[in-house]
């Protein structure tokens, strides 16, 4: 297990290095940053001065190492537009996005796993059909449309919930549902498929032949095995949801990272975009690593492969 | 006086399927005493596994079971609610399955899976359960038993896993063990070891053993009684000697034809030497089910019943409407007619 963990961590580190290089080079190659900063009216001398000031005239690899070194220390430079430190801007907002992401993931898991399990115990029953309906809707409805419908019904008609901002927990309810619902169908279908397969397996028959109670058979013997692929998928969806929070945060005016990246993209605020892309990418890699380790713990066969 | 552990009378299993009602088990009766080995033989699909699952109350959800009698230690268990039945299962009666590679849960250690039933049926005490598990692992011939407890199934070979399955079945001192082809998935040398072990343990713990097998060599060596099944019914039953020395039913004779000397059958010899295919058991059935493969069949067999009729030597019975002598006479006259 330890050897496996080390091996996977090393691979994750390599991926991170590649990702950081790509992040750096993509944003540097796409446009001349000095032009972006200077704006359309800047004279050639101004541009040259900006190049010197920001160090754009040095070789690219020097710039990369300098940038990466500072990024490791949490320093992403200053926002071109606001002039504030990027690290400060992000640290102010990351809590909101993480809260939203975690709540949405929990919401998705709490809905999808029990529904998937019940649907698997009684395939083609009423519950199974309802679950299927939910899944089909979830897959078919665009997130933004679902979010807008919620705003209209729960926010405007019934006035149950605030529709904009992130001051209280109530502000998170609709965004959580909108974002979490997005992941529910896939997680539910996978739980159902996994449970159906596992419930038909020989070791479940063995467990029943031992006279274990139905709940022990179901939760200890079946769910534990059926949940393994769900864990991996949930990690991937968590990453998607953090990315997807751009739409949700913009709709609900939640001032998180998603909202910030939308703003930064509109203004070509390069340091901010770089920092966000790098943070999300690192997060993704770490998530995948964690889910691999969790899987290895759940399924003892994985770490020997 | 020997004690009857299990007595089954007229067991039927019906399964509704798309094309109608399937009758895979159609009225099977038998009994097993303490310390006795009953072998059930018959070709693939004749209902052996369903019979054993029916006794354990483990049939698939769609299957319907009926019995006139299903007595375990003299008590009727056919109508026990699931909760009570699950107390017997894995406790006083346990089962060993055909597939050791997939019958253990990959996510839990051998020790956990061994102790599980014991902690449900006997005592919650971990230490006691652990001692029992180590004792039984040693009994089934697994070395360094204590350290095996923390291993996972994928770390063991097929033969070892089947030994673990046997140890698992023995955890709660069962009075009856049902082993459904416990060695089919293993290679030949391991097969012999496992069966030998099973027979030895059965003797030592004085359990009733129902062994389902394809292997006639095994039957000849370890059975006390034999039950030959064909298409969901018993076509012949009796003490092992009677079955091997004076097989009475044409199907049994067909099975044994390749074995000239009783008791000397080669290990691993498979059934299936009888030409023809098994009839479809869907819908209303009439007549002897073996007639399409029987060399002695006549028009009478289309309406014949399949009741077991006793033969001269007490316990030996077969389900053919004609005696051996009758069949010989019919065969003789039909050869004459052909000439
Ligand atoms: N769940 C089920 N639904 C429909 N038919 C079934 C089901 N289980 C078993 N059968 C059918 O019932 C018949 C008897 O099955 P069973 O498993 O008892 O045979 P078997 O004698 O154990 O054969 P084998 O030697 O191959 O294990 C077979 O024809 C099988 O196809
Ligand atoms: Mg079978």
């Amino acid at each position: 297990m330890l050897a496996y963990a080390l091996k996977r961590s090393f691979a994750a580190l390599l991926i991170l290095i590649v990702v950081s290089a790509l992040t750096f080079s993509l944003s540097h190659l796409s446009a001349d940053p000095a032009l972006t900063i200077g704006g359309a009216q800047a004279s050639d001398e101004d541009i040259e001065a900006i190049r010197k000031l920001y160090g754009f005239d040095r070789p690219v690899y020097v710039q990369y190492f300098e940038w990466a070194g500072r990024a490791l220390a949490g320093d992403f430079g200053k926002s071109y537009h606001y002039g504030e430190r990027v690290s400060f801007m992000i640290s102010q907002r990351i809590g909101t996005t993480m809260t939203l992401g975690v709540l949405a993931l929990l919401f998705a898991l709490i809905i999808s796993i029990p529904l998937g399990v019940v649907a698997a115990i009684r395939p083609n029953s009423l519950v199974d059909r309802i679950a299927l309906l939910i899944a089909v809707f979830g897959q078919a409805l665009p997130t933004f449309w679902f979010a807008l419908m919620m705003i209209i019904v729960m926010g405007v008609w019934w006035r149950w919930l605030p529709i904009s901002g992130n001051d209280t927990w109530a502000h998170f309810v609709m965004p959580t549902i909108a974002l979490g619902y997005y992941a529910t169908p896939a997680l539910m279908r996978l739980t159902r498929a996994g449970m159906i397969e596992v419930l038909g397996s020989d070791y479940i028959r063995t467990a029943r032949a031992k006279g274990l109670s139905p709940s022990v058979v179901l939760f200890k013997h079946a769910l534990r095995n059926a949940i393994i692929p769900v864990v991996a998928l949930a990690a991937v969806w968590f990453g998607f949801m953090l990315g997807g929070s751009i739409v949700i945060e913009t709709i609900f005016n939640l001032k998180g990272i998603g909202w910030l990246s939308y703003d930064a993209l509109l203004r070509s605020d390069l340091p901010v975009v770089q920092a966000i892309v790098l943070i999300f990418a690192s997060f993704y890699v770490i998530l995948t690593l964690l889910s691999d380790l969790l899987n290895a713990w759940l399924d003892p066969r994985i770490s020997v492969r | 006086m020997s004690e009857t552990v299990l007595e089954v009378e007229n067991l039927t299993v019906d399964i509704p399927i798309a094309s109608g009602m399937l009758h895979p088990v159609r009225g099977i009766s038998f009994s097993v005493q303490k310390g006795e080995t009953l072998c059930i033989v018959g070709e693939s699909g004749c209902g052996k596994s369903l019979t054993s699952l029916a006794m354990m109350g483990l049939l698939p959800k769609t299957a319907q079971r009926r019995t006139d009698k299903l007595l375990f230690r003299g008590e009727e268990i056919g109508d026990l609610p699931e909760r009570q039945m699950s107390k017997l299962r894995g406790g006083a009666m346990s089962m060993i399955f055909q597939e050791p590679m997939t019958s253990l849960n990959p996510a839990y250690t051998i020790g956990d899976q061994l102790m599980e039933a014991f902690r449900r049926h006997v005592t919650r005490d971990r230490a006691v359960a652990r001692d029992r598990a180590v004792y039984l692992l040693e009994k089934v011939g697994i070395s360094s038993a204590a350290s095996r407890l923390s291993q996972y199934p994928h770390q063991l070979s097929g033969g070892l896993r089947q030994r673990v399955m046997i140890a698992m079945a023995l955890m709660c001192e069962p009075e009856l063990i049902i082993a459904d082809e416990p060695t089919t998935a293993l290679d030949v040398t391991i097969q012999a070891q496992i069966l030998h072990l099973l027979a030895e343990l059965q003797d030592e713990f004085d359990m009733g053993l129902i062994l389902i097998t394809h292997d006639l060599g095994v039957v000849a060596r370890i059975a006390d009684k034999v039950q030959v099944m064909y298409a969901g019914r018993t076509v012949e039953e009796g003490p092992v000697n009677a079955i091997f020395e004076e097989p009475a039913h044409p199907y049994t004779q067909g099975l044994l034809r390749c074995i000239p000397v009783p008791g000397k059958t080669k290990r691993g010899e498979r059934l299936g030497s009888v030409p023809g295919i098994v009839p479809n058991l869907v819908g209303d059935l009439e007549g002897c089910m073996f007639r399409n493969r029987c060399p002695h069949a006549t028009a009478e067999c289309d309406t014949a019943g399949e009741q077991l009729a006793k033969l001269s030597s007490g316990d030996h019975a077969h389900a053919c409407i004609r005696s051996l002598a009758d069949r010989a006479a019919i065969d003789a006259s039909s050869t004459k007619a052909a000439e």
Side-chain angles (χ1 to χ4, degrees):
Chain A
M1 179 77 194
L2 188 66
Y4 175 77
L6 284 175
K7 212 171 82 187
R8 292 293 300 117
S9 307
F10 183 67
L13 190 68
L14 282 183
I15 295 172
L16 273 181
I17 292 173
V18 172
V19 166
S20 71
L22 280 176
T23 315
F24 177 81
S25 57
L26 274 181
S27 41
H28 265 247
L29 295 178
S30 57
D32 185 345
L35 280 178
T36 317
I37 299 170
Q41 313 92 323
S43 66
D44 285 356
E45 292 84 65
D46 291 344
I47 299 290
E48 206 51 46
I50 289 172
R51 274 207 184 107
K52 279 250 158 51
L53 180 66
Y54 284 91
F56 296 145
D57 53 345
R58 292 170 303 155
V60 172
Y61 66 91
V62 175
Q63 294 185 49
Y64 167 71
F65 281 118
E66 203 182 68
W67 173 80
R70 278 193 276 120
L72 266 183
D75 177 7
F76 294 98
K78 281 185 179 163
S79 157
Y80 294 161
H81 181 74
Y82 295 101
E84 274 188 87
R85 302 208 66 75
V86 174
S87 52
F88 175 72
M89 293 169 69
I90 287 179
S91 69
Q92 266 193 324
R93 293 177 171 84
I94 197 148
T96 303
T97 298
M98 285 296 154
T99 309
L100 177 62
V102 169
L103 286 176
L105 182 70
L106 285 181
F107 174 80
L109 291 177
I110 287 171
I111 299 283
S112 56
I113 291 180
L115 266 183
V117 169
V118 176
I121 298 173
R122 303 204 184 289
N124 302 321
S125 67
L126 189 63
V127 179
D128 189 18
R129 273 153 216 256
I130 291 174
L132 179 66
L133 203 69
I134 292 177
V136 170
F137 266 106
Q139 260 148 7
L141 296 183
T143 318
F144 72 86
W145 188 83
F146 184 58
L148 290 175
M149 288 314 282
M150 269 200 296
I151 289 181
I152 292 173
V153 175
M154 293 204 269
V156 179
W157 291 355
W158 297 343
R159 302 196 166 277
W160 281 354
L161 293 165
I163 57 175
S164 164
N166 50 335
D167 307 325
T168 67
W169 285 105
H171 284 93
F172 280 93
V173 176
M174 284 197 286
T176 296
I177 296 175
L179 193 55
Y181 188 55
Y182 184 44
T184 305
L187 293 173
M188 189 186 72
R189 300 309 281 174
L190 191 64
T191 307
R192 179 184 184 272
M195 278 302 276
I196 286 181
E197 191 191 319
V198 169
L199 284 174
S201 69
D202 289 346
Y203 57 81
I204 293 302
R205 190 182 55 188
T206 308
R208 293 180 59 217
K210 284 197 238 177
L212 304 177
S213 71
S215 63
V216 173
V217 173
L218 195 63
F219 294 109
K220 177 177 172 188
H221 285 275
L223 190 57
R224 165 74 178 262
N225 284 287
I227 210 79
I228 292 169
V230 179
V231 168
L233 187 69
V236 172
W237 271 101
F238 191 44
F240 281 171
M241 287 194 289
L242 291 180
S245 68
I246 295 185
V247 177
I248 297 295
E249 287 181 15
T250 311
I251 292 177
F252 290 97
N253 200 26
L254 274 182
K255 302 249 165 54
I257 303 272
W259 183 88
L260 183 65
S261 57
Y262 174 73
D263 186 64
L265 279 170
L266 285 185
R267 301 179 196 281
S268 302
D269 200 342
L270 199 61
V272 179
V273 175
Q274 268 180 342
I276 291 176
V277 170
L278 190 63
I279 287 174
F280 273 169
S282 318
F283 202 72
Y284 222 96
V285 172
I286 292 168
L287 261 169
T288 314
L289 176 65
L290 286 181
S291 93
D292 281 352
L293 296 183
L294 186 57
N295 260 338
W297 176 70
L298 283 170
D299 183 351
R301 285 169 301 181
I302 289 180
S303 48
V304 283
R305 265 182 224 143
Chain B
M1 177 72 211
S2 63
E3 227 177 292
T4 305
V5 185
L6 184 79
E7 190 177 345
V8 185
E9 209 175 286
N10 202 14
L11 167 73
T12 59
V13 176
D14 297 328
I15 305 179
I17 55 172
S19 55
M21 188 61 96
L22 179 71
H23 306 286
V25 180
R26 304 178 298 127
I28 298 273
S29 305
F30 54 84
S31 66
V32 190
Q33 317 289 313
K34 260 196 151 165
E36 188 179 49
T37 302
L38 167 69
C39 281
I40 301 182
V41 297
E43 65 201 312
S44 198
C46 69
K48 306 182 297 290
S49 294
L50 287 179
T51 301
S52 54
L53 292 173
M55 291 180 285
M56 295 285 288
L58 287 175
L59 284 173
K61 273 204 197 91
T62 50
Q64 299 150 17
R65 176 185 78 181
R66 272 174 294 127
T67 48
D68 288 350
K69 248 194 219 169
L70 181 54
L71 303 183
F72 184 67
R73 297 182 296 200
E75 278 169 49
E76 177 63 45
I77 59 165
D79 47 9
L80 278 188
E82 170 59 26
R83 181 176 286 273
Q84 312 253 344
M85 193 60 209
S86 74
K87 291 205 175 111
L88 285 180
R89 230 187 268 141
M93 60 199 288
S94 58
M95 189 154 179
I96 301 167
F97 297 100
Q98 179 172 350
E99 283 293 338
M101 301 311 274
T102 53
S103 290
L104 288 164
N105 192 328
Y108 295 98
T109 59
I110 302 302
D112 184 350
Q113 296 184 63
L114 273 168
M115 298 185 318
E116 201 172 29
F118 189 79
R119 296 185 65 207
R120 172 166 168 86
H121 297 294
V122 184
T123 164
R124 302 275 330 149
D125 191 331
R126 274 199 87 85
V128 180
R130 204 190 129 85
D131 289 347
R132 173 96 183 141
V134 171
Y135 166 75
L136 280 173
L137 283 184
E138 279 164 0
K139 264 265 166 279
V140 298
I142 292 184
S143 56
S144 50
S147 67
R148 296 278 184 190
L149 291 183
S150 57
Q151 288 191 325
Y152 288 93
H154 70 263
Q155 295 169 300
L156 306 182
S157 68
L160 278 186
R161 285 192 217 185
Q162 197 59 301
R163 284 170 194 264
V164 170
M165 291 297 290
I166 293 175
M168 211 157 85
L170 292 173
M171 279 299 283
C172 306
E173 303 186 39
E175 287 167 53
L176 175 70
I177 290 209
I178 302 170
D180 186 0
E181 305 191 35
T183 58
T184 314
L186 304 173
D187 63 49
V188 180
T189 46
I190 314 276
Q191 283 186 8
Q193 292 171 11
I194 296 281
L195 284 165
H196 189 68
L197 172 73
L198 204 56
E200 227 174 58
L201 291 169
Q202 180 228 3
D203 205 39
E204 181 173 342
F205 296 119
D206 200 27
M207 302 173 293
L209 173 65
I210 298 177
L211 179 68
I212 292 170
T213 180
H214 275 122
D215 189 334
L216 289 171
V218 168
V219 177
R221 274 181 300 131
I222 75 172
D224 295 311
K225 288 198 300 202
V226 181
Q227 178 117 356
V228 183
M229 277 182 74
Y230 182 77
R233 278 192 76 94
T234 307
V235 292
E236 183 159 359
E237 67 182 20
V240 63
N241 292 337
I243 298 285
F244 277 87
E245 282 158 24
E246 303 153 2
H249 194 278
Y251 178 62
T252 319
Q253 292 175 334
L255 289 182
L256 293 174
R257 192 150 297 135
C258 52
I259 313 169
V261 189
K264 297 214 176 135
T265 313
K266 275 197 273 29
R267 235 176 248 150
E269 195 138 34
R270 305 276 299 191
L271 307 187
S273 53
V274 185
I277 55 158
V278 190
N280 186 356
L281 296 177
V282 178
D284 294 331
L285 305 170
E286 210 197 352
C288 174
M289 283 301 121
F290 187 59
R291 65 184 188 277
N292 64 334
R293 297 167 75 180
C294 182
H296 316 287
T298 62
E300 262 180 290
C301 300
D302 294 345
T303 52
E306 297 167 292
Q307 262 62 49
L308 281 171
K310 288 218 182 312
L311 290 159
S312 50
S313 66
D315 296 336
H316 191 185
H318 77 151
C320 182
I321 48 169
R322 277 182 290 271
S323 67
L324 284 170
D326 283 354
R327 284 205 297 268
I330 293 172
D331 290 350
S333 64
S334 63
T335 6
K336 208 168 280 167
E339 283 164 7

